[in-house]
Amino acid sequence: MKRFHVHVGVHDLKQSIRFYSALFAAEPTVLKDDYAKWQLEDPRINFAISTRPGKAGVDHLGMQAENGEELEEIGSRLAQADVSVTAQKGASCCYAKSDKYWTIDPQGVAWESFHTLESAPVYGQDTTRRAEKTACCAPTA
């Protein structure tokens, strides 16, 4: 079963963790100096916040697949949507190693479809070009 994903850029991580922990009635499942994530069952969402995007607000939306087969199904559906899709295999981003498909919807919102393979010790592989990217670890549109 897929899980909806939202990544929000925040100015004050500590204040935002207090707010979202109260909203979700749960503490983050992943907590780093620049990042927090709630992996919730009700609602079924992967909700992440970070100080990395450079601006506050929605950074990107997405779908988290439970396995590689689900991810490939999502990738096939995106290919039928007549949009550009970029595949990333084994990408290290947001303290996780994942296989991904990135696209931009007609409104310009970045969408990340991914299957997490394992945790990673760093936020991402390429943080030097962050300002050129459209979303967390996303390739340029």
Side-chain angles (χ1 to χ4, degrees):
M1 179 185 304
K2 291 169 270 315
R3 183 183 302 270
F4 191 68
H5 170 61
V6 176
H7 188 119
V8 175
V10 300
H11 292 300
D12 185 324
L13 191 68
K14 191 174 182 178
Q15 181 183 34
S16 296
I17 289 171
R18 275 195 310 274
F19 173 80
Y20 290 115
S21 292
L23 177 65
F24 299 139
E27 294 300 312
T29 54
V30 175
L31 183 58
K32 304 291 183 180
D33 291 340
D34 57 353
Y35 176 87
K37 177 176 77 175
W38 290 260
Q39 190 89 344
L40 302 169
E41 292 303 321
D42 183 17
R44 190 164 167 79
I45 190 168
N46 170 333
F47 187 87
I49 60 175
S50 74
T51 56
R52 295 281 185 141
K55 66 180 179 82
V58 174
D59 186 61
H60 65 275
L61 303 173
M63 295 294 293
Q64 180 179 6
E66 282 193 29
N67 55 51
E69 186 176 294
E70 271 189 357
L71 178 62
E72 293 308 313
E73 178 186 320
I74 295 168
S76 293
R77 291 197 311 255
L78 288 171
Q80 295 173 19
D82 197 29
V83 293
S84 176
V85 178
T86 302
Q88 289 182 323
K89 300 299 179 184
S92 183
C93 179
C94 300
Y95 298 99
K97 185 175 180 181
S98 305
D99 290 338
K100 304 176 180 220
Y101 288 104
W102 283 97
T103 193
I104 306 294
D105 77 9
Q107 288 67 240
V109 176
W111 278 82
E112 172 191 31
S113 301
F114 64 99
H115 170 237
T116 301
L117 305 170
E118 61 187 349
S119 64
V122 295
Y123 186 83
Q125 292 171 324
D126 180 9
T127 56
T128 59
R129 295 178 12 127
R130 179 70 190 105
E132 297 172 24
K133 297 178 182 181
T134 58
C136 166
C137 305
T140 303

